[in-house]
Amino acid sequence: MSATAISTPIAVLGAGSWGTALAAHLVRHEQPVYLWEYDKDQVLAMQRDRCNEQYAPGFAFPESMRVTNSLKDVVADVQDILIVVPSFAFRQTLQSLKPLINQSHRIVWATKGIDGKTGQLFHEVVSEVLGRRAMAVLSGPSFAKEIIQKLPAAVSLASKDKCFLDDLVNRFNRGALRVYTSNDIVGVQLGGAGKNVIAIAAGISDGLSLGANARSALITRGLAEIVRLGLAMGASRETFMGLSGIGDLILTCLDDQSRNRRCGLALAHGETLEQVKKQLGQVIEGAHVAEQLLLLAKKHHVDMPICELVLRVLRQEVTPGAALAELLSRQPKEEN
């Protein structure tokens, strides 16, 4: 489908690195963008400097990119709302949106995670808080910095609403960003959430200098854990073989741009989770989602030993070295 001109604005909620990068991509392709951020001080700085020096230095905001702290103003004359807030703020953002929008508003999110309050995937949270409406999720192997730099990337867009999906492809599939579509909204979300936990494990392994063989084994068996849970929840196996599954997993486990991988490296070197959070200065999604992922695994009777040990390391119940040794001591089994 060839891209056509878009003059209707889109609201982007969340001016972290990923929200700013997606806003930058859209506005570069002549789409008006209304960027909202909860932090008033950050908004004032962005309005003054016409850039996001904290999360996207070097990208100057064009005139067609409006920055505001008013949620009411940002959604007043848009139909499409892109949510890119941290996972722990996702539900609260929807609750703040509820009195401001109507049934015609369509919701797409690029937040990766699981609701910390209920263990629900975000499409369930959207339905619960905002009612039935057109919704979609964007996920895949994509570092914000490289999107800002206009380097090539490919992502997945999943929705049950064909019209909304086509409109979103027209919005995002431009320049160096290629979009692939899916109707597996469960699988795309689980791939994006689970890979962050496995990336912490890969970082721990590399931080302990266990070598490429161990890293490869962790990635492969970590993917098997995510697939088992996904199949139990009705997702398609093929989804996990694609961009939002193995593609995102490889990127997050192997590149030091990944905050989750860097978290694992730091944990292996003896730092605590609180020390890592302070050092990185950004949300480590794998640390937020590990517990919810395991609760889902328990609910669906799925074994996820790597994710379980990552959570125990995060809680300082076991050292990184002892956790990896425990994995190696597990009984042999058939690969599945």
Side-chain angles (χ1 to χ4, degrees), residues 123-157:
H123 73 288
E124 298 172 303
V125 182
V126 172
S127 294
E128 178 185 308
V129 177
L130 301 181
R132 294 186 61 184
R133 65 179 59 246
M135 66 177 79
V137 55
L138 182 150
S139 190
S142 45
F143 286 134
K145 181 180 179 181
E146 295 186 9
I147 298 296
I148 291 285
Q149 294 171 337
K150 297 189 271 191
L151 296 175
V155 295
S156 295
L157 262 170

Side-chain angles (χ1 to χ4, degrees), residues 5-273:
I6 295 178
S7 60
T8 55
I10 182 172
V12 178
L13 309 187
S17 55
W18 190 215
T20 305
L22 289 173
H25 171 72
L26 295 170
V27 79
R28 277 171 171 159
H29 294 281
E30 301 179 350
Q31 300 179 49
V33 172
Y34 302 159
L35 180 62
W36 173 85
E37 170 56 41
Y38 175 81
D39 187 326
K40 292 182 179 180
D41 291 337
Q42 185 183 346
V43 169
L44 289 173
M46 290 189 292
Q47 290 173 338
R48 180 191 67 234
D49 302 334
R50 294 304 299 167
C51 73
N52 188 341
E53 191 61 35
Q54 182 177 3
Y55 294 116
F59 172 67
F61 294 173
E63 288 301 315
S64 55
M65 188 159 158
R66 181 196 304 173
V67 183
T68 180
N69 181 244
S70 170
L71 198 56
K72 181 179 180 181
D73 290 348
V74 85
V75 301
D77 59 348
V78 304
Q79 181 182 19
D80 296 341
I81 301 171
L82 170 61
I83 302 177
V84 205
V85 300
S87 61
F88 66 81
F90 191 85
R91 176 180 287 271
Q92 179 57 56
T93 301
L94 294 180
Q95 290 171 337
S96 298
L97 272 177
K98 186 175 182 179
L100 305 175
I101 63 175
N102 56 48
Q103 196 59 38
S104 69
H105 284 92
R106 306 184 295 186
I107 305 294
V108 54
W109 59 95
T111 300
K112 298 175 182 178
I114 298 171
D115 183 58
K117 181 179 178 181
T118 64
Q120 293 172 306
L121 296 182
F122 289 146
H123 73 288
E124 298 172 303
V125 182
V126 172
S127 294
E128 178 185 308
V129 177
L130 301 181
R132 294 186 61 184
R133 65 179 59 246
M135 66 177 79
V137 55
L138 182 150
S139 190
S142 45
F143 286 134
K145 181 180 179 181
E146 295 186 9
I147 298 296
I148 291 285
Q149 294 171 337
K150 297 189 271 191
L151 296 175
V155 295
S156 295
L157 262 170
S159 179
K160 301 290 187 181
D161 188 302
K162 182 65 164 57
C163 179
F164 189 30
L165 197 58
D166 288 344
D167 287 348
L168 288 173
V169 170
N170 190 38
R171 274 199 185 275
F172 286 98
N173 191 67
R174 293 167 184 265
L177 184 63
R178 181 164 176 79
V179 174
Y180 290 82
T181 60
S182 170
N183 64 3
D184 185 6
I185 200 165
V186 171
V188 168
Q189 289 180 97
L190 279 177
K195 58 93 180 182
N196 285 326
V197 182
I198 305 304
I200 293 176
I204 290 172
S205 179
D206 284 349
L208 294 173
S209 300
L210 297 185
N213 292 342
R215 184 198 312 124
S216 177
L218 278 170
I219 294 172
T220 305
R221 296 310 302 163
L223 176 63
E225 292 186 12
I226 298 169
V227 171
R228 283 199 298 267
L229 180 59
L231 294 179
M233 294 179 64
S236 168
R237 183 182 296 273
E238 288 73 19
T239 300
F240 300 106
M241 301 301 110
L243 290 164
S244 60
I246 193 169
D248 209 0
L249 180 66
I250 290 171
L251 182 80
T252 313
C253 287
L254 299 186
D255 196 291
D256 284 344
Q257 292 182 73
S258 163
R259 294 191 296 273
N260 295 281
R261 172 179 162 78
R262 281 183 284 160
C263 175
L265 289 168
L267 292 171
H269 295 153
E271 296 183 43
T272 66
L273 178 58

Side-chain angles (χ1 to χ4, degrees), residues 307-318:
C307 293
E308 182 179 347
L309 282 169
V310 167
L311 181 60
R312 289 173 60 196
V313 170
L314 291 169
R315 291 175 170 174
Q316 295 183 275
E317 296 173 356
V318 63

